[in-house]
Amino acid sequence: QKIHAEGYYIDVDSSNNTLNKKIRDGQLAQYNYILVVGAEEVAANTVNIRTRDNERHGTRTIDETLQEFATMMKEYK
């Protein structure tokens, strides 16, 4: 919700598929970034960031993720 409140489009896969299947579906759907939230991430209040080419960018807090997105948008313009 916090990411959406900052103006970013988000989509949540709440299906009963396995986590690996959900990640694969996100890659096939060509999402630029896939934020994976499993049990470990929920406990630590973090997200695991991946790109559609399955490159892992590590685990970050929501605030760190939003800062990174904002920086990328500034650099892009």
Side-chain angles (χ1 to χ4, degrees):
Q1 290 178 347
K2 189 172 186 178
I3 295 171
H4 182 70
E6 290 291 324
Y8 296 101
Y9 175 77
I10 59 170
D11 192 9
V12 177
D13 184 348
S14 59
S15 68
N16 290 329
N17 293 332
T18 64
L19 191 56
N20 287 336
K21 174 70 172 148
K22 291 178 182 184
I23 292 168
R24 181 70 180 139
D25 288 345
Q27 291 168 336
L28 292 175
Q30 295 288 303
Y31 287 107
N32 291 325
Y33 288 91
I34 302 165
L35 305 181
V36 180
V37 181
E40 293 176 15
E41 289 82 13
V42 169
N45 200 24
T46 59
V47 294
N48 188 298
I49 303 171
R50 298 173 186 228
T51 53
R52 62 178 156 202
D53 59 358
N54 204 26
E55 183 178 337
R56 296 178 184 182
H57 293 269
T59 302
R60 295 186 178 89
T61 65
I62 301 280
D63 290 332
E64 290 171 339
T65 303
L66 288 171
Q67 279 183 326
E68 184 176 336
F69 287 169
T71 300
M72 285 188 285
M73 286 183 65
K74 286 179 187 175
E75 291 174 0
Y76 181 74
K77 292 181 180 180

